[in-house]
Amino acid sequence: MKAAIRSSALARIFLVAGFGVALSAMPANAQKAGGSITVGLELDIPGFDVLKVGVYDTAALTASSALFDTLTTLDANGKPQPRLAVSWEPSEDFKMWTFKLRPGVKFHDGTPFNAAAFKANFDRQKDPANKCRCAFYISNVSNVQAPDELTLVYNLSDPSVNFPSLVSYASQTNAIHSPTAWKTKGDDYNRNPVGAGPYILKSWTAGDRMILEKNPDYWDKDKVYFDRITLKPLPDAQSRFASLQSGEVDLIWDDEFSADNIQKAQKDSKLTVHTYAGSGAAVYAMNTKTPPFDDVRVRQALVMALDRKKMSQAITNGLSRPASNPYGDGSWVKCKDDGALPEDLEKAKALIKDYGKPVDFKMLVTATPRGRTVGQVLQQLWKRAGANMEIEQVDQATIPPRAFMRQFQLTPWRIVDLADPDIQMYANFHTGSPVALANYSNPELDKLLEQARVTADQNKRVDLYCEITRLINKEAIWFWTFQNTYYAISSAKLKGLPKMYSGMIDVSRTWKE
Amino acid sequence: MAFFVARRLLYLVPVLITVSLLTFSIASLLPGDLAYTILGDQATPENVAALRHDMGLDQPIWWRYLSWLGNVLQGDFGRSFRTGQTVLQAVAERLPVSIELMLLAQLGALAIGVPLAIVCAARSGGPFDRFMTGTAFGMLSVPTFLSAILLIYFFAVELRWLPATGYVPFAEDPVANLRFFVLPSLTLALAEWPGIMRILRSDMIATLQEDYIALAKAKGLTPARILFVHALKPSSLTLVTITGINIGRLIGGAVIVETVFALPGIGRLLVSAIGTRDLIILQGVVLLVAAGFVIMNFIVDLLYAVLDPRIRHGHA
């Protein structure tokens, strides 16, 4: 039996190697139009009106990527490609970006898409009277101008050399809605969204199915294959996976916390596990204005006492990928030396001994099973080094305000997968930023961050960002535990799923073999 | 009878007021602050203060309770800040699903429990009786989420007879609708039949020792007729009681079952409202569910009085 398996595996390797050559020489014409796809998501989507929902979560992103179009999209190499914008041009100081728009595009309700429609979308979110949570995500944009029908000008408050890749996915800020629709539908717009994307909302039962149908007038309709997309909220991880196994759904959202299912699926030839190693990481900030974190020895000791491999085993069966910098494998920032402190329990103990006072502190933990597990594992790891952490469980929504008001000693945070590190790095580490949670100020660090955001040459930027992370690691004001990995599991017949940038599962251009 | 109904209705008032008070307190005592939840990343101290003022969250709790209750009495249960839906809309959309689930589950539990109780009572102490009482005891200790996953594994993944998750409205496709409901209602029925069987069994054993049963036997009536007609009838009171008690358990079970089987019912609405701190939906739904439960129990009491005159006249 073993021999048989081995030989068939060998045969497969040869076949794959042989086919690989053949495939790369073949044009990609295996796409098949028609049919439908059913997707199992984790959460109920609350709606799409940005003023109401504020932020699109991963479930909403799957729907929004089919319903709405964006100015740009990222290709497989992470480079921005045209969608509703056909070309773009920065000003010399990278504080102004001019986009030329695609002519002749219409929203699903027939409203023409043009610069004025785009500006209306932007202004609605930016207007302080609307008190939109989404405004936070466009705080770096001073305003948007529409000098003519097909020209759009973004004026930024800070330079951004990579701006077109930041407007590339259908988030609450980038998805473009029909102004006519939100004006006429009022309160009902939230559950009756109108975009200009490849699919049109056909029906939506609360807490149940959302059915989308192919948009016959889509400008890029030759690249859209399924006639129909059905999205279902399946909150329970086990029954969601069972629905995939039984063939009721073709693709499901998943994450590392249902590691068993992912590992089962990896062994199942009828299923494909799609993973995307994004940039960013799960991170933690220490408030350096509160003891014991005002002493670098304590901060370094906590970081050295981490055993990320053990943590990963305990939390996600070893699926979580350790992180020693905030960029991760998914980023174009690759550092030969990121200055990571070694995981060395003895050194950690010695540092705490050297500090000489008891190390007692509280850590904010989200009151969810996942949050608690992570908190308890960290507590045990630090205990071994002689530090006593007390878990303070809070509701997820309480963490940002507590963080902004600096009412914490140690808080979890996240650096999300974005095409460019600048926005988050600058916000998290530059003196005076509301999100510079460590309360740490260092002119050298500030200078590096300022340089990195106005340097156009990518190699130079890599050097700068590596310098930045070396400094942060040495000072141990923040630490990083695991990289962002996004998962989807599908039937092996499903093809064409693009990389899950920012965790977005976009099925709008997939097909079945 | 009219007097009895009026008295019972009067009892309902303090109960419902208590329910509303408890519901409101639970929602207010949950950790976290509604203003923070709504504002998220925008929760600067000024924004929070402004929003709390707009929503009246800076008022004393008794004042907030009274104004909420005042709105409720006018039929305004409020609106979700997340979806913009009113509580009544959300409940109206999802109630049919939960009612269908509970009805089918109750029917299933009766279909399993009643025949087994009769057979066990007829041969009480025999091997079948001993085996079934043991099984019932074992079934009582199987948690709903476990039996749900096992059923899904066998019937959906392995045999592919039934869907694992999902829902179709009855009006759209009755057959598909019932197929979707088989596993969830069976899951709930599996948790409910042991209770029905055990109570009905002991009830019938007692009934079978009554004099009139001996008389019926002496008359030469068939055992089947004695069991189903003479012995089961007096036990129907017990069945009504069990059904009344079960409503509460079914509501609790529905929360888990609807989540596992992805049925868009009231239970799911509650779970997602808790998860997203949608307090307005939460307190509205809990109040409506609790009121529904109290009213169902009131109806059970009435049925009781109809079935048994002694209760009506306060002799029982």
Side-chain angles (χ1 to χ4, degrees), chain A residues 133 137 206 239 243 245 248 404, chain B residues 38 41 93 160 164-165 260:
Chain A
R133 273 169 59 191
Y137 301 91
S239 60
S243 300
Q245 288 177 301
E248 290 159 58
F404 293 152
Chain B
I38 294 174
D41 310 347
E93 267 174 354
R160 306 231 167 166
T165 52
V260 174

Side-chain angles (χ1 to χ4, degrees), chain A residues 410-470:
Chain A
L410 177 61
T411 185
W413 204 249
R414 182 168 284 275
I415 293 182
V416 298
D417 174 54
L418 276 184
D420 196 276
D422 167 55
I423 293 189
Q424 296 180 93
M425 292 304 285
Y426 193 91
N428 294 337
F429 299 106
H430 195 278
T431 305
S433 153
V435 204
L437 303 178
N439 266 343
Y440 170 90
S441 174
N442 179 334
E444 193 190 342
L445 182 57
D446 289 351
K447 207 175 78 199
L448 289 167
L449 288 162
E450 286 155 22
Q451 269 180 320
R453 66 184 353 193
V454 293
T455 305
D457 176 9
Q458 189 148 313
N459 292 332
K460 280 200 185 116
R461 291 186 79 204
V462 169
D463 292 341
L464 288 165
Y465 281 118
C466 291
E467 185 60 38
I468 288 166
T469 189
R470 281 196 289 275

